């Protein structure tokens, strides 16, 4: 924020020196209204003050590369026939690219692959139901959340499982690299279904936890759904938005929803693009655009 404030100050003084008296792409150049912070957008500010090198590199490349989901309806969904991506996270990415004045290129990511693709520079940011956590914030930057989901559990009706209590001693399918197993274990502890002995939020490992609940980790969600149908796992746990596409006939959610999952845009830690994305999300929250997308995709 400090850097942005500095950039903003530089931009405003540059505009004053240049004798420009209006901001905003739609404002005529000869208007006499004085520039204010409120009507100066992030793009205009950084454009006037000079973009950070990493943001400039995206502009020079002419393409913003974004990691998205391909099977989360309403967030990131790829039509198997047309290959077209739709959803709120797709719209956010497109608007971000528009503001930068570049094209957008989507790469399908999973919970297991999204961070390595970001670290390697294959993608500039992740917009993929990526929950903001304190641990993750040590390694990547996240914007202010644009959406909050909850975790729940999908089961076959024939299993008779209806609640957290019914999950005692069951085997649950989760995605590797996800928050799901830890969230479910914590919820079962909070509900008094299992003991908290040995549970440590910061070191929790789904592969080794066996006390009253056990987990099988999968690379992707279709694999968990297939295992659920085959009876290889008793339940499928992840964010409700992700589960929706797998809730076919004969399957239900348990009654409990838990562990709020705040989704943010993830970028390389300390990068200029992190500040750019934060400013972008702030402006889209403030002007109601995010609420509009939530309504458009019936995510409210
Ligand atoms: N949102 C959760 C997470 O970030 C679930 C995993 C996923 O997004 O695929 O861990």
């Amino acid at each position: 924020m400090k850097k942005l404030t500095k950039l903003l100050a530089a931009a405003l003084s540059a505009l004053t020196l240049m004798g420009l008296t209006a901001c905003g792409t739609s404002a005529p150049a000869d208007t006499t209204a004085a520039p204010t912070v409120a009507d100066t957008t992030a793009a205009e500010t950084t454009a006037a003050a000079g973009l950070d090198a990493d943001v400039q590199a995206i502009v020079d490349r002419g393409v913003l590369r974004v990691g998205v989901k391909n099977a989360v309806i309403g967030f990131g969904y790829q039509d198997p026939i047309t290959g077209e991506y739709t959803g709120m996270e797709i719209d956010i990415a497109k608007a971000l690219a528009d503001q930068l004045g570049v094209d957008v290129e989507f790469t399908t990511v999973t919970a297991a692959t999204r961070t390595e693709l970001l670290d390697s520079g294959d993608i500039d940011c992740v917009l993929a139901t990526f929950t903001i956590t304190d641990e993750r914030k040590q390694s990547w930057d996240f914007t202010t959340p644009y959406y909050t989901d909850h975790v729940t559990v999908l089961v076959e009706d024939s299993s008779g499982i209806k609640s957290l209590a019914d999950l005692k001693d069951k085997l649950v399918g989760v995605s590797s690299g996800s928050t799901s197993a830890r969230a479910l274990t914590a919820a079962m502890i909070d509900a008094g279904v299992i003991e908290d002995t040995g549970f440590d939020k910061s070191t929790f490992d789904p592969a080794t936890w066996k006390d009253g609940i056990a987990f099988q980790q999968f690379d992707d969600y279709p694999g968990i759904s297939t295992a659920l149908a085959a009876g290889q796992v008793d339940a499928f746990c992840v964010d409700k938005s992700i589960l929706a596409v797998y809730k076919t006939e004969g399957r239900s959610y348990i009654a409990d929803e838990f562990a709020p999952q705040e989704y943010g845009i993830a970028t390389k830690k300390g990068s200029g693009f992190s500040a750019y994305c934060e400013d972008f999300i702030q402006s889209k929250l403030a002007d109601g655009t995010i609420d509009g997308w939530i309504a458009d995709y019936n995510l409210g």
Side-chain angles (χ1 to χ4, degrees):
M1 275 325 278
K2 219 167 163 189
K3 197 164 189 183
L4 264 183
T5 313
K6 262 162 86 187
L7 288 173
L8 189 60
L12 290 174
S13 60
L15 287 170
T16 310
L17 282 175
M18 281 153 55
L20 292 180
T21 50
C23 295
T25 45
S26 58
D30 61 355
T31 174
T32 51
T36 66
V37 172
D39 47 54
T40 306
T41 68
E44 287 155 352
T45 304
T46 41
L51 294 167
D52 276 305
D54 59 327
V55 185
Q56 186 63 52
I58 297 168
V59 172
D60 292 346
R61 191 202 297 142
V63 177
L64 175 68
R65 298 182 182 139
V66 186
V68 296
K69 291 292 186 77
N70 69 350
V72 188
I73 293 172
F75 289 85
Y77 179 77
Q78 188 177 25
D79 186 304
I81 314 276
T82 64
E84 203 197 322
Y85 289 89
T86 51
M88 174 180 181
E89 290 174 330
I90 304 303
D91 288 350
I92 294 174
K94 285 179 177 168
L96 183 57
D98 271 359
Q99 185 174 290
L100 286 160
V102 298
D103 292 336
V104 64
E105 183 183 285
F106 295 115
T107 298
T108 297
V109 299
T110 66
T113 66
R114 59 194 167 191
T115 51
E116 57 199 61
L117 289 167
L118 185 58
D119 291 345
S120 66
D122 285 290
I123 54 177
D124 302 307
C125 60
V126 176
L127 261 158
T129 65
F130 200 2
T131 303
I132 305 163
T133 68
D134 288 342
E135 294 76 25
R136 288 172 177 170
K137 281 201 274 187
Q138 312 275 322
S139 306
W140 305 281
D141 285 330
F142 287 85
T143 62
T144 295
Y146 51 81
Y147 187 80
T148 303
D149 198 11
H150 284 85
V151 176
T152 191
V153 179
L154 183 71
V155 293
E156 297 285 348
D157 293 344
S158 55
S159 71
I161 298 169
K162 289 188 163 46
S163 66
L164 286 174
D166 296 336
L167 283 168
K168 178 115 205 298
D169 295 328
K170 300 291 192 227
L171 178 64
V172 181
V174 293
S175 165
S176 45
S178 75
T179 52
S180 318
R182 187 179 78 178
L184 178 56
T185 307
M188 290 175 74
I189 291 169
D190 287 350
V193 177
I194 60 175
E195 298 290 320
D196 69 351
T197 319
F199 180 78
D200 179 344
K201 201 172 166 266
S202 56
T203 57
F204 181 83
D205 181 0
T208 53
W209 185 270
K210 305 283 173 218
D211 294 337
I213 185 81
F215 299 96
Q216 185 170 339
Q217 297 185 81
F218 292 78
D219 286 342
D220 60 20
Y221 296 113
I224 309 180
S225 184
T226 306
L228 181 65
Q232 288 156 0
V233 294
D234 301 299
F236 177 175
C237 176
V238 72
D239 309 4
K240 200 164 186 180
S241 57
I242 298 171
L243 281 176
V245 79
Y246 305 104
K247 189 183 171 293
T248 47
E249 219 185 306
R251 289 178 167 186
S252 301
Y253 301 123
I254 64 165
D256 316 70
E257 283 181 13
F258 43 89
Q261 303 288 302
E262 295 186 326
Y263 298 161
I265 305 179
T267 42
K268 276 200 173 157
K269 195 157 181 62
S271 65
F273 195 44
S274 300
Y276 190 93
C277 288
E278 174 60 17
D279 210 37
F280 168 83
I281 283 294
Q282 288 285 359
S283 73
K284 298 297 170 201
L285 285 166
D287 70 9
T289 309
I290 302 268
D291 280 343
W293 283 321
I294 290 173
D296 287 351
Y297 291 103
N298 296 314
L299 305 173

